[in-house]
Amino acid sequence: MKSYADSFLELIYPEKNTCFICEDYDQSIEDKYICTHCENLLKKIEPPTCKKCSKPIDYNSSKEYCQECCDEERHFVKSKSPYAYDGLIKKAIFSYKYYNKPYFYKLFGNLLVKYMIDTDYKCFDYIAAVPLHSSKMRKRGYNQSELIARYISKKLSIPYIDALKRTKKTTKQSGQSKIERRKNLKYAFVIKKNVEKIINSTVLLVDDIYTTGSTVEECSKVLMNYGTSKVYVITIAR
Ligand SMILES: [Zn+2]
Ligand SMILES: [Zn+2]
């Protein structure tokens, strides 16, 4: 049976074969939710990239990791993102979060599933999402990362686990320095009750954007301290 949320999302959902981005109608769109023209405009992250966080690195560099990953602690094994946070994808993520377009999770979810299959990034025991604080959840009505995580969970048959809770209301991070972000996020997440099954398992953590990595690092730390054996990360863009 469909949940109330699913039926509600379908009501406000654009007509079949309509590109979510440019709103053009094309019969080949189907369940990609994006036309070929718009998809070709999305800027893919090309190698060489940092082995840890997928940041593009200099061709001439002999290093395997970017400077940030050399300098800072990372509790996750690896973080991957198919797209550069720029242009069309940046606009689309913005609309998804701030212009009440919850159904965009289908577009992003589908792009991520394709990417996970293509890059063989799909051997995980559980899939979790970076949580929103309850006040933000009330305001927005949905957690953008959770909707994507649940979509991937269904498509790749990886069980979704609601493992994390955001206990601290964090201020908007976009204008903050790395040090401020980290301070702001300290003790912001806790493990929920009754999720013991993730102990000794491999968890894929989903977030929308990777900026400095502070958010996914803080969540990974909490998961690892709880007893998870490995945490991997995926975001739409970075
Ligand atoms: Zn389009
Ligand atoms: Zn890196």
Side-chain angles (χ1 to χ4, degrees):
M1 209 180 95
K2 270 184 189 156
S3 68
Y4 168 74
D6 279 343
S7 331
F8 172 71
L9 288 174
E10 269 163 30
L11 285 177
I12 49 170
Y13 183 72
E15 213 183 311
K16 197 175 157 43
N17 285 326
T18 305
C19 172
F20 281 9
I21 309 274
C22 69
E23 294 176 358
D24 271 3
Y25 181 87
D26 189 308
Q27 279 194 341
S28 67
I29 291 176
E30 303 221 314
D31 52 4
K32 286 192 301 160
Y33 316 102
I34 185 168
C35 72
T36 316
H37 176 75
C38 288
E39 196 176 352
N40 289 338
L41 289 175
L42 304 178
K43 210 166 114 195
K44 280 196 181 129
I45 292 179
E46 304 286 355
T49 57
C50 167
K51 272 194 157 173
K52 195 86 181 167
C53 74
S54 303
K55 181 183 182 168
I57 47 177
D58 197 350
Y59 257 109
N60 306 314
S61 165
S62 55
K63 286 183 193 158
E64 293 189 309
Y65 299 99
C66 73
Q67 199 55 49
E68 287 91 334
C69 288
C70 292
D71 295 346
E72 291 157 29
E73 214 178 1
R74 302 280 194 234
H75 282 80
F76 52 86
V77 179
K78 192 189 252 296
S79 176
K80 288 179 59 138
S81 323
Y83 301 106
Y85 187 54
D86 200 7
L88 216 53
I89 203 90
K90 190 173 176 178
K91 264 200 226 159
I93 296 172
F94 194 84
S95 299
Y96 178 39
K97 286 164 75 173
Y98 304 107
Y99 283 91
N100 194 29
K101 296 195 174 188
Y103 55 86
F104 263 49
Y105 81 91
K106 291 196 174 189
L107 163 67
F108 297 128
N110 188 57
L111 290 170
L112 287 177
V113 164
K114 214 176 118 211
Y115 173 76
M116 287 170 73
I117 293 170
D118 288 349
T119 58
D120 198 21
Y121 196 59
K122 53 186 173 25
C123 290
F124 310 106
D125 300 317
Y126 294 99
I127 182 162
V130 170
L132 291 182
H133 187 264
S134 53
S135 61
K136 201 178 237 177
M137 183 72 184
R138 267 197 303 276
K139 203 172 148 211
R140 189 173 297 162
Y142 54 96
N143 173 357
Q144 72 279 2
S145 305
E146 181 188 338
L147 293 180
I148 296 171
R150 286 185 184 276
Y151 180 94
I152 299 171
S153 158
K154 232 185 249 176
K155 296 282 173 183
L156 296 180
S157 307
I158 306 164
Y160 175 81
I161 184 124
D162 188 16
L164 293 159
K165 187 179 169 181
R166 197 171 198 133
T167 50
K168 203 166 130 189
K169 208 172 147 186
T170 42
T171 44
K172 204 168 174 3
Q173 293 202 85
S174 11
Q176 291 178 343
S177 75
K178 222 182 286 173
I179 295 157
E180 281 172 327
R181 275 177 195 244
R182 224 173 301 146
K183 219 173 114 192
N184 196 6
L185 284 164
K186 211 164 181 200
Y187 311 119
F189 303 98
V190 294
I191 295 281
K192 283 196 169 178
K193 285 200 178 95
N194 305 318
V195 296
E196 292 82 4
K197 57 187 175 192
I198 62 166
I199 292 174
N200 295 325
S201 74
T202 301
V203 175
L204 176 71
L205 182 66
V206 179
D207 203 2
D208 49 358
I209 319 156
Y210 184 108
T211 312
T212 60
S214 313
T215 307
V216 289
E217 166 55 17
E218 200 54 38
C219 289
S220 303
K221 191 161 96 188
V222 170
L223 288 166
M224 289 301 288
N225 287 342
Y226 181 68
T228 301
S229 72
K230 281 174 187 160
V231 179
Y232 289 82
V233 176
I234 196 158
T235 72
I236 309 161
R238 69 144 296 144

